[in-house]
Amino acid sequence: MKLNLERLDEEPAEQELGPWAQGAAASSLEGTVQGLEGELFARRTEDNIFVEGEVNAVVLRSCDRCGAEVICRIGGELDLTYVPAKRGGNANREVHGGDMDVGFYTEGALDLADVLREHFALSLPDRLACDLAEVSVAPGAKCQADLIATESKEKPVDPRFSALKGLKLN
């Protein structure tokens, strides 16, 4: 959903989370969104746009470790700043620390779907696994890592490592 900057003022305006938000969450979380809730507010001061609020999603996807279907609760607060993208300029300029906290918009509009995609992409853990606090195995699914761990306990230890059995590290 494109947010027309001419219609924004300094007072925060609530932005409705419609089907566009569902699609943005699904694309960034790489799964089936089962629920999406939250509040998203946008305001403008001169050329700067501030997007604030809290958005959370429940998504069904596969565990990166074992492949089992998991339900992931992800999201949280967002507080993002956008400035107009500069045209031309030096393409090889040095990036400073403050540049990392700012997003850019073009042509007098900000795509809120991009804002949500960025929010969820940054909220997603590096590796989505069954044992994370925000993840639970989907009903009817089984964590394959638990089965592999059970099977690995039954395998005999290689006799070449028997000398290390009594070794204790402090």
Side-chain angles (χ1 to χ4, degrees), residues 15-153:
Q15 306 302 313
E16 188 175 324
L17 299 177
W20 64 269
Q22 197 91 355
S27 69
S28 64
L29 295 172
E30 299 173 350
T32 305
V33 176
Q34 296 189 327
L36 183 68
E37 61 182 24
E39 299 175 312
L40 196 62
F41 298 93
R43 64 184 174 90
R44 177 177 71 112
T45 58
E46 296 180 16
D47 287 339
N48 298 331
I49 301 172
F50 302 95
V51 180
E52 301 160 337
E54 182 173 352
V55 182
N56 298 292
V58 176
V59 65
L60 181 66
R61 61 174 279 181
S62 61
C63 171
D64 291 337
R65 182 180 57 190
C66 72
E69 275 201 331
V70 294
I71 298 171
C72 177
R73 289 157 197 79
I74 199 114
E77 292 183 10
L78 66 138
D79 185 4
L80 304 169
T81 303
Y82 293 87
V83 297
K86 293 180 182 174
R87 299 199 184 267
N90 185 358
N92 295 323
R93 79 177 185 89
E94 188 175 326
V95 177
H96 300 284
D99 296 337
M100 303 298 279
D101 299 329
V102 176
F104 301 96
Y105 66 88
T106 58
E107 301 172 9
L110 175 66
D111 191 350
L112 288 179
D114 288 342
V115 172
L116 278 187
R117 277 192 278 279
E118 177 184 354
H119 170 62
F120 286 123
L122 293 173
S123 300
L124 201 59
D126 293 334
R127 188 170 180 207
L128 191 67
C130 300
D131 57 358
L132 294 175
E134 61 270 4
V135 175
S136 60
V137 178
K142 294 190 179 182
C143 177
Q144 301 300 317
D146 291 342
L147 297 174
I148 293 168
T150 304
E151 290 173 6
S152 67
K153 291 179 184 175

Side-chain angles (χ1 to χ4, degrees), residues 9 98 170:
D9 55 18
N170 291 335

